[in-house]
Amino acid sequence: METRTILKLVLGFLSIATIGISVYLGYSILSPANTVIVKEVIVEGEKPVIPVNPMSLKSEDAIALVKAKTVEVAIKKAPEEKKTKKRKKKKVAEEVQLETKTFATILEDTTFVDETLKLKGKSEGWNAAWWGETKHGDSFYLVTYVFQDELVRTGPQWLVDLKTNKVIPKNLPALLIGDPKKGVKSKYYDRNEIIVSTIAAHRFENKMTLAGALLLYFESRQDSDKTDTILGWTIQHERGNLFKAFFQWTENKESTYAEFEFDFDAKALKAVNLQAANIMRIGEGFTKKRVSIFPNSYDASAKRGKRWIGAAKKVCKRNKGCAALDTMLSGEDAVIESIEWLLTARAATPEEFNTCRSEHNCRWKPEQRSNSLFSVRYLYRLGNDADKSISWDVDIKKRTITPTDRIAKLAFSTIRPR
């Protein structure tokens, strides 16, 4: 085939292809458009709607389930007296009757709340938190009857399963309501004072106690306002051997608290929030050796009546001032130690404090106010500071000790529950 013939065939093929493409494009443009139905309009930046779990809307049902639970409560009747033929009164044995009460009714009994539950604070009523996003499942709620103790919410708690209608006590106050006899026999019942004293006596590696760290924290802050108020410890049983401990105060007219977790069995303490961590950090970072404010003529380890030694033994034999000081030194060792840590921090060196003692500028001074009441003060003057004191009222007859100034009150609050 000649080259000219081949070129004519190729040119013809290209012409036909061009005509076909032109026809197709013209048809596409001129033909009527198809109708498109938009089922959903998507707005840029709009968050997708998450469906609400219907179980999360049943908090009132969970609360109603707990409120309606009942328990038999023993009601004691006062013994009656009957006259015999000889007109003598004879006592009849005390009667005990069982009365069925709902949990809601029991929590309205202020005597039961004060004497058995031993809960403080203002009653705020019922609250339910959905536990659907926990391992328990979407039918579970945590129901609490709330007592508001300053910033801390305490009270009995129950775990409620709406599928099975089960109500399970989560903490000890809840157990006390459902089974008072079993609750009061628990080794964790009415242990607030023991818990606070154990927490206050917690020692860091440098031997400082948490009570000492608390005292240092509040008295060493540069922004400390003398109008700050120490509210003290609030203890809440969580579950099993675990407790929550809250030390509350007002700082620059705003309330706050340090939260700790306390394992009763292991006597283990853990900081939970920033304030608690700051206090623990003070205790862990302290490097000075603790000074002593006990008089040289006093033996704290001896039995009562034999604690004064040396020249003080004869002087203090019939001296009521010595008796007041002995009551203070022997009855509040944890308070005394926390004061020692504070003065250790305030003295530039141990030598400065020893000089203060030898010059009698750091000393105890009891002063009689009435027959049995004394004001017991610890006086100190460190460096170029003015004379300062920490004071208590001591009743030698009742053997009671009452703090009367800011530092003394703070030291007491670190070792006692509210």
Side-chain angles (χ1 to χ4, degrees):
M1 185 179 292
E2 294 182 1
T3 303
R4 182 176 293 181
T5 304
I6 294 172
L7 290 174
K8 286 181 179 180
L9 290 173
V10 172
L11 183 61
F13 175 77
L14 291 174
S15 300
I16 293 170
T18 302
I19 294 170
I21 292 171
S22 300
V23 171
Y24 174 76
L25 291 173
Y27 175 78
S28 299
I29 294 171
L30 298 175
S31 62
N34 294 327
T35 303
V36 178
I37 299 174
V38 180
K39 295 183 179 180
E40 183 179 357
V41 176
I42 300 176
V43 179
E44 187 177 352
E46 185 177 290
K47 294 182 180 179
V49 177
I50 300 173
V52 177
N53 188 323
M55 291 301 292
S56 68
L57 306 176
K58 295 183 177 292
S59 59
E60 293 300 323
D61 294 345
I63 291 172
L65 201 60
V66 178
K67 291 172 71 175
K69 289 284 290 183
T70 59
V71 63
E72 289 188 336
V73 179
I75 306 297
K76 293 181 180 180
K77 283 192 173 183
E80 297 179 359
E81 293 182 341
K82 292 185 178 180
K83 290 183 179 181
T84 63
K85 292 180 180 180
K86 295 181 181 181
R87 296 185 178 181
K88 290 183 179 180
K89 293 181 179 180
K90 184 179 180 181
K91 287 187 178 181
V92 178
E94 187 180 62
E95 293 184 21
V96 177
Q97 293 183 345
L98 293 178
E99 183 177 326
T100 301
K101 289 188 175 183
T102 63
F103 285 10
T105 304
I106 291 173
L107 282 163
E108 292 172 359
D109 185 347
T110 55
T111 301
F112 181 83
V113 170
D114 294 340
E115 297 181 2
T116 304
L117 294 184
K118 300 182 185 295
L119 290 172
K120 294 183 178 180
K122 183 181 178 182
S123 170
E124 296 289 341
W126 296 90
N127 176 267
W130 184 51
W131 272 28
E133 297 178 349
T134 68
K135 64 180 181 180
H136 294 282
D138 65 355
S139 62
F140 281 85
Y141 275 82
L142 181 67
V143 176
T144 307
Y145 188 84
V146 178
F147 289 87
Q148 193 74 34
D149 186 9
E150 297 296 340
L151 292 181
V152 178
R153 292 159 64 91
T154 66
Q157 294 181 319
W158 297 266
L159 198 57
V160 178
D161 184 358
L162 291 179
K163 283 185 179 177
T164 62
N165 289 338
K166 283 186 178 180
V167 176
I168 305 165
K170 176 181 175 287
N171 62 1
L172 187 55
L175 178 62
L176 282 163
I177 293 170
D179 192 344
K181 287 185 178 180
K182 185 177 180 180
V184 296
K185 289 180 180 179
S186 169
K187 69 176 181 178
Y188 306 120
Y189 176 65
D190 195 18
R191 293 292 186 266
N192 286 3
E193 287 190 10
I194 293 175
I195 290 169
V196 170
S197 63
T198 304
I199 291 174
H202 172 82
R203 290 194 184 275
F204 303 97
E205 289 186 7
N206 55 19
K207 305 302 181 183
M208 175 180 272
T209 61
L210 184 72
L214 277 166
L215 200 56
L216 236 65
Y217 175 80
F218 288 104
E219 285 304 305
S220 301
R221 290 180 300 125
Q222 293 180 352
D223 60 342
S224 177
D225 186 343
K226 297 306 178 184
T227 62
D228 289 355
T229 305
I230 304 302
L231 304 174
W233 289 103
T234 296
I235 305 299
Q236 163 78 339
H237 181 254
E238 282 291 292
R239 64 186 183 278
N241 59 343
L242 191 65
F243 287 79
K244 287 289 184 72
F246 305 86
F247 192 80
Q248 302 188 74
W249 70 92
T250 61
E251 184 174 323
N252 298 323
K253 299 181 180 179
E254 291 186 6
S255 298
T256 187
Y257 60 83
E259 180 181 351
F260 299 88
E261 194 173 86
F262 180 70
D263 185 323
F264 187 90
D265 294 342
K267 302 296 182 287
L269 186 68
K270 184 175 74 173
V272 175
N273 66 354
L274 178 62
Q275 289 85 346
N278 288 337
I279 292 167
M280 296 285 275
R281 197 174 294 115
I282 287 177
E284 291 165 353
F286 199 76
T287 57
K288 294 182 180 179
K289 184 179 179 181
R290 173 168 56 107
V291 302
S292 174
I293 62 174
F294 279 87
N296 292 329
S297 55
Y298 185 83
D299 182 2
S301 62
K303 292 182 179 179
R304 186 181 176 188
K306 296 183 178 181
R307 295 178 184 134
W308 295 107
I309 57 178
K313 184 176 182 179
K314 185 177 180 180
V315 174
C316 289
K317 196 169 184 179
R318 292 182 178 86
N319 189 303
K320 289 185 177 181
C322 292
L325 183 52
D326 175 52
T327 301
M328 181 69 211
L329 295 174
S330 63
E332 294 295 344
D333 53 328
V335 169
I336 299 297
E337 182 175 347
S338 66
I339 298 293
E340 289 176 335
W341 286 114
L342 176 64
L343 295 179
T344 302
R346 288 189 171 179
T349 62
E351 290 74 23
E352 181 184 73
F353 187 81
N354 291 334
T355 300
C356 180
R357 288 192 64 174
S358 63
E359 294 178 353
H360 301 289
N361 292 323
C362 291
R363 61 191 175 89
W364 289 95
K365 186 178 181 180
E367 293 179 319
Q368 191 167 10
R369 295 176 57 186
S370 66
N371 185 45
S372 63
L373 185 63
F374 282 76
S375 171
V376 175
R377 294 184 296 157
Y378 189 79
L379 310 173
Y380 63 98
R381 183 170 71 230
L382 296 170
N384 296 321
D385 290 346
D387 290 338
K388 295 180 180 179
S389 68
I390 307 170
S391 60
W392 301 263
D393 279 346
V394 177
D395 191 316
I396 59 174
K397 186 177 181 180
K398 298 178 181 178
R399 296 191 67 80
T400 58
I401 302 168
T402 307
T404 56
D405 65 19
R406 174 185 167 79
I407 295 179
K409 290 176 182 178
L410 173 56
F412 260 52
S413 70
T414 63
I415 63 169
R416 287 171 168 80
R418 283 167 54 78

